[in-house]
Amino acid sequence: MQSLRELYKIGKGPSSSHTMAPERAAREFLSLCPQAHSFRAVLYGSLAHTGKGHLTDEAISGVFAPRKTEIVFDCEKTDLPHPNTMELFACAKDGKVICGRTYLSVGGGSILLLGETRQAEQEVYPFRNFAEIREYCQCEDCGLDDVVFRFEGESIKEYLRAIWRTMRETIAVGLRKTGELPGKLHVKRKASTLSLPVEGEGVTEREKRILSSFAFATAEENASGGTIVTAPTCGASGVLPAVLAYLADKYGLSDDTVVSALAVAGLVGNVVKTNASVSGAEAGCQAEIGTATAMATAAACRISRYTLEETEYAAEIALEHQLGLTCDPIEGYVQIPCIERNAVAAMRALDGAELAHVLAGTRKISFDLIVKTMYETGKDLSERYRETSEGGLAAQFKIC
């Protein structure tokens, strides 16, 4: 498995697969042919269907500016190596193509050149799945966070501190802003409203409202192209920060404790990214929000100092009950149903941790089995429900 630096990335929303990764691919391509007079980008699959709403064209054009860039949205081609496929071409002054590359946006802001596989030297952990990590922890009598610090070194702690600072800053910015999100849906920002006390509310209602306000704040910042942390993606970036910020405020947690929780969450996310997918275009929203919920519940378990068994059970519960979740963003915007879904998932994450704590020792399903099941379920989902905006809410909702 790769470093958590490849899972947690700081960048601009609204989409890790559709904005961050295409921008990253464009920068890499530009470095190969800086002498080009103009560029052309051909987007396929989900990148073509939802590229406008996800600002894919702006991300690519922005890298190649001030040179002219032609963006082609090819929604017809279906024989693709990946649902998020893009071709980049560099052209001379006479229009002749001088260089071309095909890139795959594989989720969480990561890219692969067509035909390329991840190099062995990029692997940091000698594990392929959670079972191997669990066996190591039991043999070494250590925690999941210890695994991260042993294999990544002390430098990962400072990186995770920077991740935590960014998460906190994003929430603070999102809570302050009001008005509408960009785009033709005219979605109002709700985080600031959720942060206000409600007359007559009880303790439970108050805590859920605060937790939800944190998730809304991050998800709304993501939807507006603000700075967020992929956890594991942009579309699901509000879940983990909301849970961490809520628990940090409630219990006065130190940054070191939160860093350990981020490490545990990252390890869980890495298992999914390695053995399945965190791409909504490849496996539906279960791969994004489902993984984010599993990561957040594992973080909550670390903060509560729950056992390894309880942590795996909680992560399994979180992902199992997101199976089949579709990715159907209206008009391609990461707004409806994405923003509310982050808040609901944050509440599910805390519920999953408590349920696993009470029922520890009764588990029948492993986390690895749920990861495998999620991936197979995602592959079986119709393309209409995998970030193409051709099914579900995206097909049913009509703008007046």
Side-chain angles (χ1 to χ4, degrees):
M1 295 194 300
Q2 293 183 302
S3 168
L4 297 194
R5 291 177 172 85
E6 285 299 309
L7 183 76
Y8 294 126
K9 299 187 184 78
I10 299 172
K12 300 286 187 180
S15 172
S16 46
S17 292
H18 292 64
T19 313
M20 290 175 63
E23 179 180 348
R24 186 176 180 181
R27 292 192 185 284
E28 180 179 297
F29 187 65
L30 179 61
S31 69
L32 296 175
C33 41
Q35 77 283 4
H37 180 265
S38 62
F39 293 90
R40 180 160 60 97
V42 184
L43 308 178
Y44 301 100
S46 178
L47 290 178
H49 286 288
T50 63
K52 279 288 185 181
H54 286 66
L55 307 181
T56 308
D57 50 345
E58 293 184 19
I60 296 171
S61 298
V63 172
F64 294 143
R67 283 159 288 201
K68 180 183 177 181
T69 302
E70 178 189 8
I71 307 291
V72 179
F73 296 90
D74 187 337
C75 298
E76 303 302 320
K77 188 174 181 179
T78 57
D79 184 20
L80 301 170
H82 189 278
N84 288 329
T85 298
M86 60 185 292
E87 292 178 337
L88 297 179
F89 300 97
C91 304
K93 194 172 184 178
D94 60 2
K96 183 179 179 181
V97 174
I98 56 176
C99 184
R101 292 286 188 278
T102 299
Y103 289 94
L104 313 179
S105 173
V106 295
S110 298
I111 59 171
L112 283 177
L113 193 62
L114 182 62
E116 177 186 53
T117 57
R118 292 185 178 91
Q119 302 300 312
E121 60 265 23
Q122 295 177 320
E123 304 295 322
V124 171
Y125 301 93
F127 314 112
R128 282 290 305 174
N129 51 42
F130 197 89
E132 292 179 4
I133 297 172
R134 181 177 63 242
E135 182 180 5
Y136 178 86
C137 289
Q138 291 168 341
C139 290
E140 295 291 319
D141 191 25
C142 68
L144 293 170
D145 51 336
D146 295 321
V147 173
V148 172
F149 302 145
R150 288 184 185 185
F151 287 94
E152 298 252 19
E154 286 296 308
S155 64
I156 193 64
K157 292 184 178 180
E158 188 53 44
Y159 184 82
L160 293 178
R161 287 189 185 96
I163 291 297
W164 174 227
R165 285 194 298 271
T166 302
M167 287 178 169
R168 272 295 207 185
E169 290 165 3
T170 300
I171 290 174
V173 171
L175 288 174
R176 290 195 301 267
K177 291 185 178 179
T178 57
E180 290 186 353
L181 296 172
K184 55 187 176 181
L185 297 182
H186 300 291
V187 174
K188 291 183 178 180
R189 286 179 176 265
K190 304 180 181 74
S192 61
T193 300
L194 280 169
S195 68
L196 300 175
V198 176
E199 185 177 354
E201 68 179 345
V203 174
T204 301
E205 289 78 14
R206 173 183 172 276
E207 292 185 343
K208 287 183 177 180
R209 175 179 55 76
I210 293 172
L211 175 64
S212 296
S213 74
F214 291 163
F216 266 79
T218 299
E220 287 172 353
E221 273 303 284
N222 174 67
S224 63
T227 300
I228 53 86
V229 174
T230 57
T233 64
C234 288
S237 61
V239 185
L240 180 57
V243 169
L244 291 174
Y246 166 75
L247 293 176
D249 289 350
K250 182 177 182 179
Y251 297 113
L253 302 178
S254 68
D255 285 352
D256 285 345
T257 298
V258 176
V259 163
S260 289
L262 277 168
V264 172
L267 209 54
V268 167
N270 242 355
V271 169
V272 181
K273 191 171 184 180
T274 301
N275 294 279
S277 175
V278 295
S279 167
E282 189 173 11
C285 197
Q286 56 170 3
E288 296 197 37
I289 283 288
T291 304
T293 312
M295 291 170 64
T297 200
C301 286
R302 170 59 185 83
I303 288 170
S304 296
R305 296 195 173 278
Y306 289 168
T307 65
L308 180 61
E309 162 66 19
E310 292 168 333
T311 302
E312 180 178 0
Y313 193 5
E316 179 267 313
I317 289 172
L319 189 53
E320 178 180 354
H321 299 291
Q322 306 274 17
L323 291 180
L325 189 60
T326 60
C327 184
D328 50 355
I330 293 176
E331 294 291 332
Y333 292 105
V334 190
Q335 298 178 11
I336 304 174
C338 319
I339 296 173
E340 287 180 357
R341 190 169 284 175
N342 275 262
V344 172
M347 290 187 278
R348 276 192 176 187
L350 292 180
D351 291 340
E354 292 311 305
L355 192 60
H357 182 52
V358 174
L359 300 178
T362 66
R363 176 172 60 91
K364 298 291 186 181
I365 308 298
S366 70
F367 184 64
D368 288 332
L369 182 58
I370 284 301
V371 171
K372 179 181 178 182
T373 303
M374 183 274 284
Y375 195 43
E376 290 183 353
T377 302
K379 290 294 188 181
D380 288 339
L381 283 177
S382 165
E383 287 186 3
R384 289 164 49 82
Y385 302 105
R386 286 189 276 139
E387 210 167 356
T388 59
S389 291
E390 294 187 318
L393 280 175
Q396 298 297 325
F397 181 85
K398 304 299 178 185
I399 300 176
C400 297

